[in-house]
Amino acid sequence: MLFASDLDRTLIYSANSMLLAGPDDAAPPMVVAEVYRGAPLSFMTRSAEAMLEDLAQRGQFVPVTTRTREQFERIRLPGRGRGYAISTNGAVLMKDGVPDAAWTASIRSRISRECVPLAEVFEQLTVENPVQGLVRARTAEDTFIYCLVERASLSPEYLADLTDWCGQRGWKVSLQGRKLYCVPVPVSKEAAVAEVRERMGVDTLITAGDSLLDAGMLEVADIAFRPAHGELHATGFERPHLTVTGARGILAGEEMVRSALEYARGSSRVAGHPGSRQG
Ligand SMILES: [Mg+2]
């Protein structure tokens, strides 16, 4: 069994995305998962970390993130630097911290065949038909584009048109919090996870994620989890093998790790009832 999971807003949470409800003195104990420019930025619950440590020691946890390799390496996860890890939305596949050059080359070759160049999309987003509410646009490892946006200024119509425009050019769009991503279709978490699954000879694949860029990874899994918040929750994404958490925010993260660990320990609770439920 392998637990392949998205990180931001699935396993780790910024202060603004924790969605803690109830009195402050009832909040769960938390640990810092990421420090940025000298200050704590992302967190997980202490319980989630302990359970993830258990999975990592079993060699059954693979982090999967849209973050660049540099942004990923700031995160302190159990099992860091051991086993497989996937960054840059699937464009980078690491084994024991070392990127697999052949994997990245194969992805780049597919991009050059199937997608318009990054520069053309960047031009569209910033000059030709600029993103509404655009604060700034950046490229990630010369592979994809992300824009910081003012959500209130971004209309659903613009987003639909952009998704269409990108779709005709081999690119896909995802909106997560204040970040709008434009990513070449061949750069996908599910492709990288499938590669790891094959290399490791995994029988049961469990995945977790909250955004549109995680949807493919949730689709290809035997058992999938998503939190009751985020982009997929907003669109009502459901599948027969997908369980939606009861909790929201950082506690949803803990809930998904607990479910994966229960499965790893041979519990029948998850394995026997992989049905969908709304939290
Ligand atoms: Mg996420």
Side-chain angles (χ1 to χ4, degrees), residues 151-195:
R151 276 292 283 265
S153 309
L154 193 68
S155 75
E157 293 76 23
Y158 176 86
L159 198 60
D161 287 349
L162 179 67
T163 302
D164 208 42
W165 187 92
C166 283
Q168 289 166 20
R169 288 160 180 80
W171 286 64
K172 62 198 164 188
V173 176
S174 172
L175 181 63
Q176 301 172 35
R178 291 188 65 206
K179 279 186 183 155
L180 178 75
Y181 293 86
C182 292
V183 181
V185 172
V187 176
S188 78
K189 292 179 172 179
E190 59 270 28
V193 167
E195 177 74 12

Side-chain angles (χ1 to χ4, degrees), residues 6-10 176 210-211 214:
D6 171 51
L7 299 178
D8 291 87
R9 294 175 197 230
T10 298
Q176 301 172 35
D210 70 299
S211 83
D214 300 315

Side-chain angles (χ1 to χ4, degrees), residues 33-185:
E34 178 186 22
V35 169
Y36 180 60
R37 293 182 176 167
L41 182 62
S42 305
F43 306 82
M44 59 200 312
T45 70
R46 202 180 287 165
S47 299
E49 186 191 51
M51 293 186 291
L52 211 48
E53 180 65 52
D54 195 331
L55 281 165
Q57 282 187 2
R58 294 162 180 265
Q60 291 177 320
F61 169 55
V62 171
V64 186
T65 181
T66 300
R67 287 176 175 233
T68 62
R69 193 180 156 207
E70 185 188 345
Q71 292 165 344
F72 167 66
E73 286 179 349
R74 287 202 299 263
I75 305 175
R76 288 178 184 267
L77 286 170
R80 182 161 85 149
R82 302 195 306 269
Y84 285 103
I86 294 161
S87 76
T88 326
N89 205 59
V92 176
L93 196 166
M94 288 165 266
K95 172 87 188 292
D96 299 332
V98 181
D100 183 328
W103 173 256
T104 300
S106 78
I107 295 287
R108 289 204 176 275
S109 154
R110 275 195 64 195
I111 294 174
S112 66
R113 289 197 306 271
E114 300 169 26
C115 316
V116 301
L118 180 145
E120 189 175 327
V121 181
F122 197 85
E123 180 87 356
Q124 175 76 10
L125 295 173
T126 56
V127 181
E128 296 291 333
N129 186 13
V131 174
Q132 295 172 2
L134 178 71
V135 178
R136 60 172 178 268
R138 294 264 190 277
T139 62
E141 288 177 82
D142 220 17
T143 302
F144 63 85
I145 302 163
Y146 59 102
C147 304
L148 191 64
V149 299
E150 298 291 356
R151 276 292 283 265
S153 309
L154 193 68
S155 75
E157 293 76 23
Y158 176 86
L159 198 60
D161 287 349
L162 179 67
T163 302
D164 208 42
W165 187 92
C166 283
Q168 289 166 20
R169 288 160 180 80
W171 286 64
K172 62 198 164 188
V173 176
S174 172
L175 181 63
Q176 301 172 35
R178 291 188 65 206
K179 279 186 183 155
L180 178 75
Y181 293 86
C182 292
V183 181
V185 172

